Amino acid sequence: MITVVLKKLVVALMICNILVLGLAPVVEARLIGTHEALQMTQREEQLARINRIFSGSEVQEQMLAFGVEPKDVQDRLAVLTDEELRQLAGRLQDMPAGGDGVLAVVGLVFVVLIILELVGVTNIFTKL
Amino acid sequence: MICLVSLLAGCAGQDPVLRSVLPQAEDSVVELTDTVFFPQKDYQCGPAALATLVVHAGKEITPDHLAGKIFLPDRRGSLQVELVAASRGYDLIPYVIDPSLAALLAELRAGRPVLVLQNLGLAAFSLWHYAVVIGYNTWEDTMILRSGTVRRQVVSARRFLVSWRQSSAWAMVVLNPGEMPENPDQGRYLKTVAALEEVGRYDTARAGYQAALQRWPDVDSALLGLGNCYHGLGRIDAAEKAYRSLVEQYPGHGIGYNNLAHVLAEQGQYTQALAVLNKGLLLAEHHGVAGQMLLQARGEIMIRQVQEQSVNDSGD
């Protein structure tokens, strides 16, 4: 008997719940992560989840295009946050990629020397 | 040629760089001589530089371990974001320091080598390069680096600054869980730790939040994070405890009530969970998603309670 009353009560409460919620977009009930809590509004949160899916696959495609081994791609995506994935998506080409500055500098020096040579400041390559 | 020589001479006559940012009392010379050196292979200064930091933090790796994690072959380089992210994979806390010479020197004094991004080319013709700063000398006004294939590179502080400022003075250290950088920025440190939580490195993040709470006892997000990490680690009791102190200290913390109710429900304590949610709906600031989440959680927990009740009834 008590359980029947309880059930009716819960159903009534549920109806109230739904009425209060109205037609608001459904949000999954779950634990909220700290990063999310630090910068959350509803719209941002929903967009972020959509973006996670899109930017994840976009970054994956780009990594493959830039020569990353397929076996490494998932591990690399796994340590990136949603925000970082969004930063990376579409920008892998433009972001500074720290590489072999030293050898490149030798090349640059060479170019400068040739220019100096061509405009006649130096005479390293041409014997008078 | 004479012009060039006079230009160089002009530089040499300027005021010292390091003394201008360093208090007189501080050490004049610092060099972390025990920092390992990995001569970089083709274009792989990123893996070499990051491996230097990771080994210094006590992990046993080589740049070869990192190549697959941070090197982009067709760009012949590595991205800052991936250096930061890869450090998480070793359960280290990658902290990007303040973009200032003073902050860099402070890390060195604390015994931490600092990974920097330099532009060795021109603004219009960039040659990005990662190196590890391991020391400085105020008498000679120089910086000491592990860079590329040079084990001990000594460059004038002025020249170093020119190359470093072009990356907006980007520099990072890696911290062991629980370790704090010098003069940490609260917001940046918490975001760094929250990123570890987000990618599932719960134990490292837990230590990071605990260190944050020790330093800044009044930070609600660190307490929330602590609860979340315990939950991620499956330590439900400890998670419950953290969320309880969160809502006790911050009675308007909607997410605190939400998460507390969820861990209670996970333990089958539906009545208690619903009481927490009701209290939350009464006290929490209902802005954003939090208020709606509390209602949603209340609905779902009620359904679960009824479902379990029915199962029990039919079993009788």
Side-chain angles (χ1 to χ4, degrees), chain A residues 58 62 66 87-98, chain B residues 72 75 78-80 117 126 128:
Chain A
E58 191 174 342
Q62 282 195 306
F66 281 114
Q87 278 173 19
L88 281 176
R91 292 199 49 215
L92 256 71
Q93 179 64 53
D94 316 320
M95 289 179 145
Chain B
L72 279 179
R75 284 219 50 200
S78 305
L79 306 178
Q80 291 146 282
L117 178 62
S126 307
W128 297 111

Side-chain angles (χ1 to χ4, degrees), chain B residues 123-134:
Chain B
F125 182 59
S126 307
L127 296 168
W128 297 111
H129 178 66
Y130 294 108
V132 178
V133 183
I134 60 156

Side-chain angles (χ1 to χ4, degrees), chain B residues 42-264:
Chain B
D42 294 344
Y43 306 109
Q44 301 205 359
C45 61
L50 187 57
T52 307
L53 261 61
V54 172
V55 169
H56 198 267
K59 313 279 173 184
E60 285 181 18
I61 64 155
T62 67
D64 291 337
H65 291 120
L66 281 168
K69 296 180 197 290
I70 60 175
F71 190 58
L72 279 179
D74 291 357
R75 284 219 50 200
R76 294 178 173 177
S78 305
L79 306 178
Q80 291 146 282
V81 174
E82 285 214 278
L83 262 65
V84 167
S87 312
R88 295 181 194 129
Y90 292 98
D91 284 311
L92 294 169
I93 301 176
Y95 181 76
V96 176
I97 65 169
D98 287 340
S100 74
L101 196 54
L104 195 163
L105 301 185
E107 288 301 323
L108 292 170
R109 280 200 300 282
R112 279 184 287 269
V114 183
L115 193 158
V116 292
L117 178 62
Q118 299 170 279
N119 182 1
L120 299 179
L122 305 164
F125 182 59
S126 307
L127 296 168
W128 297 111
H129 178 66
Y130 294 108
V132 178
V133 183
I134 60 156
Y136 61 85
N137 183 328
T138 49
W139 305 118
E140 295 168 5
D141 208 30
T142 53
M143 306 296 292
I144 308 160
L145 288 79
R146 300 258 187 271
S147 178
T149 54
V150 186
R151 182 186 172 84
R152 186 174 184 277
Q153 186 180 58
V154 180
V155 290
S156 86
R158 188 170 303 278
R159 288 193 62 157
F160 170 78
L161 263 188
V162 169
S163 68
W164 187 40
R165 279 190 180 143
Q166 291 186 61
S167 72
S168 307
W170 189 85
M172 67 175 269
V173 292
V174 297
L175 308 164
N176 268 297
E179 202 182 345
M180 271 274 172
E182 296 301 293
N183 311 311
D185 176 274
Q186 182 184 305
R188 196 171 341 125
Y189 178 81
L190 284 171
K191 220 179 147 191
T192 303
V193 175
L196 280 151
E197 177 196 324
E198 193 182 331
V199 303
R201 295 282 166 177
Y202 296 118
D203 209 32
T204 310
R206 175 196 55 78
Y209 286 129
Q210 275 169 338
L213 283 169
Q214 252 180 7
R215 189 166 186 119
W216 307 291
D218 296 328
V219 179
D220 57 343
S221 61
L223 209 44
L224 171 69
L226 192 60
N228 292 349
C229 289
Y230 279 130
H231 181 263
L233 290 165
R235 294 172 60 183
I236 303 298
D237 285 355
E240 183 187 326
K241 206 175 138 201
Y243 294 141
R244 278 202 193 281
S245 20
L246 177 61
V247 294
E248 271 162 30
Q249 285 177 48
Y250 308 92
H253 205 292
I255 294 167
Y257 292 106
N258 177 79
N259 289 9
L260 175 58
H262 274 279
V263 294
L264 288 169

